[in-house]
Amino acid sequence: MSIPEPELASQMANAIRMLAVDAVEQAKSGHPGAPMGMAEIAEVLWNRHLKHNPANPAWADRDRFVLSNGHGSMLLYALLHLTGYDLAVDELKRFRQLHSKTPGHPEVGITPGVETTTGPLGQGLANAVGMALAEKLLAAEFNREGHMVVDHHTYVFMGDGCLMEGISHEACSLAGTLRLSKLIALYDDNGISIDGHVEGWFTDDTPKRFEAYGWHVIPKVDGHDPAAVDAALRAARAQAARPDGKPTLICCQTVIGQGSPGKAGTHDVHGAALGADEVQATRDALGWSHAPFELPAEVAQAWDARERGRAAEHAWRERFEAYRTAFPEAAAAFERRMQGELPADFASRLPALFEAIAARPDAIATRKASQNALDALAPLLPELFGGSADLTGSNLTNFKGCTVAGRDRAGNHLSWGVREFGMAAALNGMALHGGFIPYGGTFLTFSDYSRNAVRMAALMKLRVIHVFTHDSIGLGEDGPTHQSVEHVPSLRLIPNLDVWRPADGLETAVAWASAIERADGPTALTLSRQNLPNLTGGKVAAGTIRRGGYVLSDMEGAQAVLIGTGSELTVAMAAQAALAGEGIATRVVSMPCTNVFDRQDAAYQDAVLPPHLPAVAVEAAHPDFWRKYVGRTGAVVGIASFGESAPAKDLYAHFGITAQCVADAVRSRVRAGQRAPHAAVPA
C-alpha cells in the first residue's frame, strides 16, 4: 500500500471531512462529528492497509471493515466513493433520502462495500467478532501447507457508545478467550456522546478492560497523526501473525468534529449539520477552496484503489488456482460455501430423512426431535456451525460427531457462555462473512436478551437459525422467570423472521430443513421441554408441512376449526375427539409456522381455514396474536398472564389450556348457529 506525502495525506483526510460535511449539510440531518474526527485513521487504514477490491465487494479473501459507530455513516460512504466502489457522487448528494444508496446508517445489500448493517451501537463490534471467528475457522479447515487461501483481517471502527453497550463485553470477552488475532478494533476515543462529555457517565479504564479480556492493547495513539496510526496498525498486524496472537485494540485519541473551528470537541457536532456559516468556516480553516462535493484531481487519484484492488484479487486468484490443482475437492467446497449454495444432493436426500423420522413412534420433546434432525442433517452440511449460550445439555444443539471449537481448536460447535446477545450478533457476523450456516441455542424466554440481533438478522436477510427451547409454561417448575408467554407472538411480529413451533418429530425436521434452505432471512425454532406424541407420522407429507399450516385431521361436515401449534396441537386433537363423541364434527389445523402460512395464496389459506366456519385457536402463549385467524367471533385459549412454578401438567390445568376448555369454546359457537360445510383443500 502507498504512503502519501504528509501534505497529500492531510488533503486525503480532508476530502473525507468535507464530503461528510457537505452531505450532512445538504440533507440537514446526520452525524458529521465522527467522520471529521476519524478522517486520519480512515485514510491510514483504507489507503495503506486494507485489502479490498472496489470492483468486487464480494471477493472471498478481502479484509472485512465494520463501522460499528454506524451513525458516522458518511465516513464509510466517503471512503467507498473515494476508493472506487459503485457509489457515485450523486448518491452522496442524496444522503438520507428515499431509495438512495446512502441511508442514514449503513445497510448491507443497499450500498456496495458495506459489510453489515450498523446503527444499534455495539452490534457492529459483535458482528466483527463473528467475522473474525469465521475467518479463523475457515483458515483452519481449508488452508494447507504452502496454500493460504483464507488469510484476511477484520477491522472495526467503534466509539464510546459501542463500549458502553453491554454487548461489547459479551463479544470482546469471547474474542479474547478465542484469541481472534486477526480482529483489529480502532477505538475513536473522543470523550463526547450525544449528551455531552462522557466523563459524567463513562469513566472506564478501557485499555485495562481489554487487557483483562486477553487483548493486545495499544493505548494513547494520536488519532490525528497518520504516522502514529500507521505504526499501531503495523504492530497489530504483526501480533495477528504470531501463533499466540491476540485481538488488538488501538485506542485513538481524537477530537470530534476536527476541522470545525466553532464546534470541534463539542457535542454540537455529534448529530447535527454544522450550518452554512460553520461549513464555510471549516472550509477556510482547512484551506479547502473547492465547491461542495468537488475534489482536487490529485486527491481523487491518490484515493483510487481500483488498480491496487484488482492486482490484490488477481494475485489471490492465482494462488487459489494452484490450490485447486492440488486440492480440487477442498477448492470446490470452499467456493460452494462462500457462495452460500447448499450441496447439490441436499434436497434429494431429505425425503429419506423425513421418512425415517416420521416412522419413530415414540413421544419425545421437540428439543430432542431437533437434535435428532441435526444428527441426520449435519453430516450433509459441513457448513453447519452450532452452539449454545451455556445450555447445550438443555437446548440439545450438539449432534453426533460434532467437534467442539476452542481457542486454538477448529470445530463445528461452540460453547458461547452466558452471552445470548453477543452470540446472536456474532452469528450474524458469521453469516455475513460467508462459509457457514450458523445456529445458536438458548431458552425462549432469554430471546429477550438477543432480540435486537435477531431483528438485525431479519433486516439484513441473513441465514441464521435460532434454537429456542423451553418454549412455554410446559417447562414447569422453573417458574414465570423462565416460562415464555409473550415471546412467540412477539417474535412472529418481526418482519422477515420465520418462527416455527413444531408439534412433533416430523414437523421439527421440516422446520430445520426449511430454515437451512431459506437463504433470505433467519429462522427461530421454538421447541418444547416436555414430551409430545407423534401426530403426523404416516399421515402428513413433509411438503404439506412446509406450507406452514395444513389440515391435520378432518371430519365430514365439520362445524368448526381447531387451530393448534406446538405442544398444544395435542390439546386440539383431544378436543376434537371429545366433541366427536357429542356429534360435533371439527377440523384440526396444525399451524407450525404462521409466517410461512401467511405467504401462501389466498385460495390455500381459505381452504385450510374456511372463512365461514368458526375457529378456535389454542396455544400456551398470549392469545391476542391469534385474533387474525379466528376473528372477533372466534375464540383463543391461551395465557394472558405470567406463569407459575409447578409441574407442567398442573400448570396447563391451572391456566385452562385443556381439551375441555377448547371444546367448551367450540360448543358455544356451534350452538350459536355458526355452521357450514367446509371447502376442499387444494392439492
Side-chain angles (χ1 to χ4, degrees):
M1 302 292 181
S2 62
I3 301 178
E5 294 295 323
E7 177 58 29
L8 180 57
S10 178
Q11 290 293 90
M12 292 172 73
N14 287 339
I16 296 172
R17 287 190 173 95
M18 293 314 303
L19 286 174
V21 166
D22 291 337
V24 172
E25 187 67 22
Q26 181 148 310
K28 305 300 181 188
S29 167
H31 298 75
M36 297 175 76
M38 300 188 78
E40 282 83 10
I41 304 169
E43 182 275 315
V44 173
L45 175 61
W46 277 69
N47 187 50
R48 310 183 195 189
H49 292 272
L50 194 71
K51 180 176 69 172
H52 65 121
N53 183 7
N56 183 13
W59 168 30
D61 200 45
R62 69 191 182 280
D63 289 338
R64 271 63 170 180
F65 174 79
V66 174
L67 184 70
S68 189
N69 47 340
H71 54 267
S73 57
M74 266 310 305
L75 173 70
L76 181 52
Y77 299 150
L79 289 165
L80 294 170
H81 169 71
L82 290 165
T83 55
Y85 286 79
D86 183 18
L87 191 68
V89 70
D90 285 347
E91 292 293 344
L92 304 189
K93 294 177 181 178
R94 297 179 63 229
F95 178 54
R96 290 183 160 228
Q97 305 309 300
L98 185 64
H99 302 318
S100 75
K101 291 183 179 180
T102 50
H105 291 78
E107 294 186 41
V108 69
I110 300 295
T111 314
V114 170
E115 299 281 6
T116 182
T117 299
T118 53
L121 292 177
Q123 282 200 64
L125 174 57
N127 294 163
V129 170
M131 293 175 184
L133 175 59
E135 193 275 344
K136 185 171 183 175
L137 291 167
L138 286 170
E141 183 176 356
F142 286 101
N143 287 349
R144 304 287 189 271
E145 184 73 27
H147 296 273
M148 299 287 287
V149 294
V150 181
D151 185 16
H152 53 267
H153 296 80
T154 300
Y155 298 97
V156 55
F157 282 4
M158 60 190 187
D160 297 303
C162 293
L163 295 180
M164 284 185 254
E165 291 285 0
I167 191 174
S168 68
H169 166 70
E170 295 185 28
C172 295
S173 168
L174 183 65
T177 297
L178 296 179
R179 264 198 325 228
L180 302 180
S181 62
K182 288 186 176 178
L183 173 63
I184 301 173
L186 294 100
Y187 166 35
D188 181 29
D189 183 11
N190 61 37
I192 297 291
S193 67
I194 291 175
D195 281 354
H197 293 271
V198 302
E199 62 191 16
W201 50 87
F202 183 59
T203 58
D204 296 16
D205 190 329
T206 298
K208 287 184 179 178
R209 172 185 165 188
F210 276 75
E211 287 173 357
Y213 290 153
W215 285 53
H216 173 226
V217 178
I218 305 175
K220 297 181 179 179
V221 175
D222 183 349
H224 301 299
D225 180 353
V229 176
D230 184 63
L233 281 166
R234 291 179 184 276
R237 294 179 62 174
Q239 173 76 200
R242 293 172 51 176
D244 61 347
K246 304 174 180 179
T248 295
L249 174 70
I250 303 173
C251 300
C252 300
Q253 296 178 325
T254 65
V255 177
I256 191 170
Q258 176 79 343
S260 169
K263 296 186 176 183
T266 74
H267 69 281
D268 294 334
V269 75
H270 186 287
L274 297 184
D277 291 345
E278 189 64 18
V279 170
Q280 187 57 55
T282 302
R283 276 186 155 75
D284 295 341
L286 297 176
W288 192 265
S289 59
H290 315 286
F293 301 102
E294 288 188 4
L295 303 172
E298 64 272 20
V299 172
Q301 183 177 357
W303 266 117
D304 192 340
R306 288 174 291 186
E307 180 54 34
R308 294 200 306 272
R310 185 205 66 78
E313 182 175 352
H314 179 73
W316 177 83
R317 291 198 176 279
E318 286 189 331
R319 296 197 305 274
F320 191 82
E321 288 308 312
Y323 178 80
R324 189 195 307 277
T325 298
F327 310 100
E329 291 184 3
F334 178 79
E335 288 182 314
R336 176 187 67 77
R337 287 170 58 174
M338 292 305 296
Q339 291 165 3
E341 299 175 354
L342 297 177
D345 63 346
F346 180 76
S348 65
R349 299 180 70 171
L350 289 179
L353 183 155
F354 292 148
E355 185 177 354
I357 288 176
R360 298 182 179 184
D362 49 317
I364 58 172
T366 51
R367 61 171 177 163
K368 180 59 181 178
S370 171
Q371 188 177 50
N372 291 341
L374 280 170
D375 287 343
L377 289 166
L380 312 180
L381 296 165
E383 56 264 53
L384 266 184
F385 184 89
S388 175
D390 203 47
L391 289 168
T392 299
S394 292
N395 300 148
L396 304 182
T397 56
N398 54 348
F399 52 88
K400 293 177 182 177
C402 70
T403 54
V404 178
R407 168 176 286 181
D408 296 311
R409 183 175 64 251
N412 53 13
H413 193 276
L414 181 67
S415 293
W416 291 89
V418 187
R419 296 184 177 97
E420 294 89 356
F421 194 5
M423 175 182 70
L427 294 178
N428 290 349
M430 296 185 74
L432 287 160
H433 181 280
F436 293 99
I437 299 176
Y439 68 91
T442 187
F443 288 176
L444 178 58
T445 192
F446 302 145
S447 65
D448 285 337
Y449 286 129
S450 57
R451 185 182 180 90
N452 199 259
V454 176
R455 180 180 187 271
M456 293 299 291
L459 196 156
M460 290 188 277
K461 303 178 180 179
L462 302 180
R463 180 158 47 192
V464 176
I465 303 168
H466 295 277
V467 180
F468 294 131
T469 69
H470 298 58
D471 68 348
S472 71
I473 60 171
L475 72 87
E477 292 86 348
D478 278 342
T481 63
H482 284 52
Q483 291 166 2
S484 296
V485 173
E486 76 280 20
H487 297 84
V488 169
S490 67
L491 286 171
R492 289 174 178 141
L493 296 178
I494 297 177
N496 200 42
L497 173 68
D498 281 358
V499 180
W500 286 82
R501 190 163 183 256
D504 66 4
L506 181 58
E507 284 196 351
T508 304
V510 169
W512 262 108
S514 298
I516 289 166
E517 292 171 338
R518 189 179 184 223
D520 60 353
T523 300
L525 308 179
T526 61
L527 309 170
S528 76
R529 177 187 186 233
Q530 70 272 34
N531 289 339
L532 305 177
N534 183 343
L535 296 175
T536 61
K539 301 178 184 178
V540 184
T544 300
I545 298 172
R546 283 180 177 273
R547 304 191 76 166
Y550 62 94
V551 178
L552 172 64
S553 177
D554 208 3
M555 299 177 66
E556 185 176 351
Q559 298 166 271
V561 177
L562 310 180
I563 307 171
T565 180
S567 49
E568 288 71 65
L569 188 59
T570 302
V571 176
M573 291 292 289
Q576 183 188 51
L579 290 164
E582 303 171 20
I584 300 175
T586 59
R587 164 184 291 184
V588 174
V589 168
S590 177
M591 194 81 78
C593 187
T594 62
N595 312 93
V596 173
F597 180 76
D598 288 349
R599 294 198 292 269
Q600 306 302 310
D601 61 74
Y604 179 81
Q605 293 178 11
D606 288 349
V608 173
L609 300 176
H612 61 278
L613 288 183
V616 176
V618 55
E619 185 172 48
H622 199 285
D624 285 4
F625 173 84
W626 289 101
R627 288 292 170 190
K628 63 185 287 188
Y629 299 105
V630 305
R632 294 177 62 193
T633 59
V636 184
V637 177
I639 172 172
S641 65
F642 295 113
E644 298 281 352
S645 178
K649 183 179 179 181
D650 295 342
L651 291 174
Y652 272 81
H654 174 74
F655 288 107
I657 305 173
T658 63
Q660 179 179 333
C661 289
V662 174
D664 288 344
V666 172
R667 289 189 199 98
S668 66
R669 281 146 184 84
V670 171
R671 289 167 182 169
Q674 298 173 347
R675 306 178 183 184
H678 64 78
V681 180

